[in-house]
Amino acid sequence: MRGSGTLSPPLPPLPWLLLLLLCQRGGLACPEGCHCPLGTGVVRCTHGELREIPQGIPRETRVLYLDSNEITSVPDGALRELRQLQELYLSDNLIDSISPAAFGELGSRLQRLDLSNNRLRWLGPGKASSTLRARTQLNDNPWHCGCSLQELLEALPLDPETLEEVVCASAGREEHIGQPFARLLRAGIDFCRVQQRTMDVAMLVTMSCWFAVVITYVVYYVQRNQAEAHRHLEYLKSLPIKQPSPEEEEEEGEELEEDMFSTIV
């Protein structure tokens, strides 16, 4: 009012109101430790001191940098809302496990995936990789070289520039440790066949052990019964034989004569 002596604060312009509403609804939200430049589709969380994949990443994100943090795992649903994501950088973390369905929502849209320099020892070729078509970096991880890694390399389109850096930190055979896994495969080593052969041998050894146990028990049971029968027979032999009295001998003779007489008649 003009006579009041005080002025009411000016109303904010309409664009600023819309911007405020969008921020309150999370449309322009940016997780703590990240930078989300407006209109770029790029979110940078590098060196954000993150221990897990943050929530609230803008849905329109196409490139996501989560490298150089302390993330330990990639759980189910962590990236479900990012349906436009094309590049994901998770290098230089502490990741030692990835859920089988972690990348299932991304499908073939993801074009680049960097998992280098983590703590991955194995990663099954399930849903975590079966739908991926991204150029993937797996180098500088303490991989266990076996059938699961072989199936993973066959399922993923790996970055050829870093393929030789996928090195065996552990393996079933000592001479494979420290060797590039791709080089071992090119040398004709089939880890899945070796694993199957090992399983067959283990099963054969197990069955042989059970068979030996059964045979041993049967032999022991038979020998024990024979020993019991022998001891019982010896006991019977040791019993004193009762001699018949004269009266009993006379009665047996009369019965024998009666039986002979009845037979003749």
Side-chain angles (χ1 to χ4, degrees):
M1 297 180 62
R2 293 182 179 180
S4 62
T6 60
L7 297 176
S8 59
L11 296 176
L14 183 60
W16 288 105
L17 283 176
L18 293 177
L19 182 61
L20 180 61
L21 290 174
L22 287 173
C23 291
Q24 289 178 348
R25 293 186 178 184
L28 296 177
C30 190
E32 184 177 358
C34 301
H35 300 282
C36 312
L38 185 63
T40 63
V42 178
V43 174
R44 294 184 179 274
C45 305
T46 304
H47 296 293
E49 299 183 356
L50 303 175
R51 296 187 176 182
E52 60 184 14
I53 295 179
Q55 298 181 355
I57 299 173
R59 297 184 178 182
E60 65 274 10
T61 301
R62 296 190 302 274
V63 181
L64 177 57
Y65 291 92
L66 291 168
D67 54 307
S68 301
N69 284 286
E70 299 177 5
I71 299 172
T72 59
S73 64
V74 183
D76 288 346
L79 306 166
R80 182 180 297 121
E81 302 297 330
L82 306 181
R83 300 186 179 275
Q84 300 182 35
L85 192 62
Q86 299 176 5
E87 298 181 19
L88 176 59
Y89 297 92
L90 286 164
S91 60
D92 300 295
N93 276 283
L94 306 175
I95 299 173
D96 57 11
S97 64
I98 297 178
S99 171
F103 304 126
E105 300 293 334
L106 302 179
S108 59
R109 292 184 298 274
L110 194 65
Q111 299 175 7
R112 189 169 186 85
L113 175 62
D114 189 354
L115 292 170
S116 62
N117 198 20
N118 278 281
R119 297 181 177 179
L120 292 170
R121 295 191 68 250
W122 69 277
L123 179 64
K127 294 182 179 179
S129 58
S130 61
T131 60
L132 283 177
R133 298 296 179 269
R135 186 175 178 178
T136 307
Q137 293 179 238
L138 298 175
N139 53 293
D140 298 319
N141 281 280
W143 292 108
H144 175 77
C145 291
C147 183
S148 61
L149 183 58
Q150 179 176 330
E151 292 177 346
L152 179 65
L153 298 189
E154 293 173 352
L156 288 178
L158 299 183
D159 184 357
E161 298 177 0
T162 62
L163 184 58
E164 293 296 325
E165 299 176 27
V166 178
V167 178
C168 301
S170 61
R173 301 179 63 175
E174 186 175 357
E175 61 266 25
H176 295 161
I177 298 177
Q179 297 291 326
F181 192 66
R183 187 180 304 172
L184 296 175
L185 294 179
R186 288 196 300 267
I189 301 175
D190 190 337
F191 286 85
C192 293
R193 183 177 300 176
V194 171
Q195 177 177 326
Q196 183 63 41
R197 188 183 303 118
T198 303
M199 292 176 61
D200 292 342
V201 171
M203 185 176 296
L204 180 62
V205 171
T206 302
M207 293 179 63
S208 299
C209 291
W210 277 108
F211 185 73
V213 169
V214 171
I215 293 298
T216 302
Y217 177 77
V218 171
V219 172
Y220 168 77
Y221 183 77
V222 170
Q223 291 178 349
R224 181 180 178 183
N225 285 347
Q226 289 178 347
E228 290 290 339
H230 180 72
R231 283 197 297 270
H232 184 68
L233 182 59
E234 293 295 330
Y235 171 75
L236 293 178
K237 290 181 179 180
S238 65
L239 292 177
I241 301 176
K242 183 180 179 181
Q243 298 295 332
S245 63
E247 291 79 5
E248 292 176 347
E249 291 181 352
E250 184 178 355
E251 290 178 0
E252 290 179 359
E254 292 177 355
E255 291 177 358
L256 182 58
E257 291 178 356
E258 290 178 359
D259 291 338
M260 292 178 62
F261 177 77
S262 61
T263 302
I264 293 173
V265 174

